[in-house]
Amino acid sequence: MKNIKKKQAKAWGAGIMAAGILLSGGLLPAGTSQAASAAVQANAEHSLVVLKVNGKITPQTGVVHEGKVWVPLTFLRDSLGMSLTYDKAEKAYTIGKGTTKVNLSLTDYEISVRVNNFYLNNYQGQNINNRLFVPLDLLNDFLGYKGDYNGATGQLNVVSKPQNAITIKTESIVKERKDAPIKVDYPQISGLANAKAQQTINDTIKQTLIKFAAEAEKEIANKSSDDQPYEFDGGYVITYNQDGILSLITTQYSYLGGAHGMTYRDAFTFSLKDGKRLLIGDLLKANPNYKKELNAKLSKLIKAEGGYQGGFTGLNTEKNFYVKDGKLVVFFQLYEYTAYASGFPEYEFTFKELLPDGSSPFAGMK
């Protein structure tokens, strides 16, 4: 899987990994690739950022680099209290636990980031002056924190987001085979007062991944002994867990030989009140013209993509979206309208631009 994912990351435009990562003065890991991008070496231009947690200044400093705010991995460990380990054999760091467990893998192509085995193409780590940094967006979008950056003062204040009163645990489907392993991680929730809603949510997610594993078994059954090894895996990320709403994305990856594997995404946004799987129209119902307006915006954006291959006439499903803070994110599958190298095209829209003033996408869902 590692070699395949490396090829996939490279195909999606991943940068070259820098060598040697400093954590608290120690050079780690020894023996990693010496390939390095000059953009992230000691001469990299950046400004320092004062890092605060709940308004209190911490000993660590972040940077503004290439137009983004970055925080050192040691900030997550020392100031946010997240556990941090390093696997020398795998050349990978693991930080955090549960649904916010992050894996940073050091490869010749990138410092890749995965949360719950979900590969995050746009959230790679960076080696800046021989220290390992992650983008602030990783904390904001997937780790349950909110970072407010003040460019005028050069200060970033990080606070925990309020979360729904539920517990989310990772369950797995694992079939160990030397030439065709299957490993799929998916979330299951507990703690809802409405047991029926809880069961509906869990079953909806679980059945999707069970179906993927069953299809993998069929492929394996038809596999010739001369074929290359097959691989099947899947993961997920929670994108929103507030306001009585749970939103997440799952990914299912299959490799059946050839130049690269194929990845498919599902997205689920639920009302915790009744377990209903929400569609885009459920969140934008306050705007009677939402479909026409959204399709017009999407048409303009997707046709401007360098890898656009034609065919978009409007959304053919209202399921391929997820929620993040104040935003609706619509995505398309690989090859759906764009070339493989474009990855999964994603388009963010604020609810403010899609809904009338004063209206809420979550009205009546608590």
Side-chain angles (χ1 to χ4, degrees):
M1 180 191 307
K2 295 182 180 64
N3 290 334
I4 296 163
K5 292 295 179 67
K6 288 177 185 177
K7 293 177 183 177
Q8 190 176 65
K10 187 176 183 181
W12 290 352
I16 300 175
M17 186 200 102
I21 306 302
L22 275 176
L23 285 178
S24 300
L27 187 63
L28 293 174
T32 55
S33 168
Q34 296 303 304
S37 169
V40 293
Q41 291 303 292
N43 294 327
E45 294 183 3
H46 57 256
S47 56
L48 295 180
V49 175
V50 175
L51 299 179
K52 303 162 71 174
V53 176
N54 297 323
K56 183 178 179 180
I57 295 177
T58 72
Q60 291 92 357
T61 54
V63 298
V64 176
H65 176 70
E66 297 179 342
K68 295 170 64 175
V69 178
W70 299 78
V71 297
L73 207 59
T74 50
F75 173 72
L76 279 66
R77 180 191 66 187
D78 299 338
S79 297
L80 298 182
M82 300 174 70
S83 61
L84 175 62
T85 59
Y86 175 68
D87 187 319
K88 185 176 181 179
E90 295 291 332
K91 296 180 182 177
Y93 292 94
T94 298
I95 188 158
K97 59 183 180 180
T99 60
T100 57
K101 183 169 70 174
V102 182
N103 178 273
L104 293 96
S105 181
L106 313 183
T107 75
D108 288 337
Y109 307 115
E110 62 173 352
I111 303 174
S112 69
V113 172
R114 289 181 176 81
V115 177
N116 305 315
N117 204 31
F118 188 107
Y119 175 67
L120 296 169
N121 184 50
N122 296 321
Y123 296 80
Q124 292 103 344
Q126 278 271 29
N127 173 8
I128 302 174
N129 291 346
N130 272 350
R131 296 190 68 208
L132 182 56
F133 283 72
V134 294
L136 172 61
D137 288 346
L138 179 67
L139 278 71
N140 284 340
D141 294 348
F142 305 112
L143 303 189
Y145 291 95
K146 179 177 175 59
D148 290 317
Y149 175 64
N150 187 321
T153 63
Q155 296 187 350
L156 170 69
N157 186 42
V158 177
V159 298
S160 297
K161 293 179 184 177
Q163 303 285 290
N164 293 313
I166 58 175
T167 299
I168 307 173
K169 292 186 177 181
T170 299
E171 294 193 5
S172 302
I173 301 170
V174 180
K175 301 289 179 67
E176 296 288 357
R177 294 184 180 87
K178 185 177 181 180
D179 64 342
I182 300 173
K183 186 181 187 301
V184 180
D185 293 337
Y186 61 93
Q188 296 284 268
I189 70 170
S190 61
L192 273 186
N194 187 334
K196 184 177 180 180
Q198 179 172 293
Q199 189 66 47
T200 297
I201 292 169
N202 286 338
D203 286 349
T204 301
I205 299 170
K206 184 176 181 178
Q207 291 305 316
T208 298
L209 280 305
I210 287 176
K211 180 181 178 181
F212 169 68
E215 290 171 350
E217 294 281 9
K218 291 180 182 178
E219 295 287 357
I220 293 169
N222 294 323
K223 180 180 181 297
S224 167
S225 59
D226 296 331
D227 289 341
Q228 296 183 45
Y230 287 0
E231 299 177 21
F232 305 91
D233 74 2
Y236 72 95
V237 284
I238 305 296
T239 64
Y240 199 74
N241 184 24
Q242 302 177 67
D243 303 311
I245 300 297
L246 178 66
S247 190
L248 60 109
I249 321 167
T250 65
T251 184
Q252 298 101 53
Y253 172 82
S254 302
Y255 178 71
L256 305 176
H260 59 74
M262 187 64 184
T263 306
Y264 185 84
R265 281 185 178 179
D266 280 299
F268 303 91
T269 298
F270 297 103
S271 166
L272 298 181
K273 180 179 180 180
D274 55 14
K276 179 182 178 181
R277 182 178 182 179
L278 302 173
L279 303 179
I280 290 175
D282 294 313
L283 300 180
L284 303 183
K285 59 187 176 183
N287 178 2
N289 297 315
Y290 81 87
K291 188 173 292 186
K292 180 179 178 180
E293 294 176 9
L294 186 58
N295 279 333
K297 292 176 183 290
L298 287 168
S299 180
K300 182 178 180 179
L301 291 168
I302 198 166
K303 289 176 182 178
E305 289 277 351
Y308 179 63
Q309 297 180 322
F312 181 78
T313 58
L315 288 173
N316 54 24
T317 176
E318 293 199 10
K319 291 183 178 180
N320 288 347
F321 79 96
Y322 60 92
V323 175
K324 56 195 298 189
D325 288 340
K327 296 177 181 179
L328 174 82
V329 184
V330 179
F331 67 87
F332 298 99
Q333 303 293 341
L334 299 180
Y335 290 124
E336 189 172 0
Y337 299 110
T338 55
Y340 178 83
S342 298
F344 293 90
E346 292 191 342
Y347 305 101
E348 291 187 0
F349 306 95
T350 65
F351 285 117
K352 287 185 178 180
E353 69 180 295
L354 297 174
L355 292 173
D357 290 344
S359 58
S360 167
F362 312 134
M365 296 184 188
K366 288 187 178 181

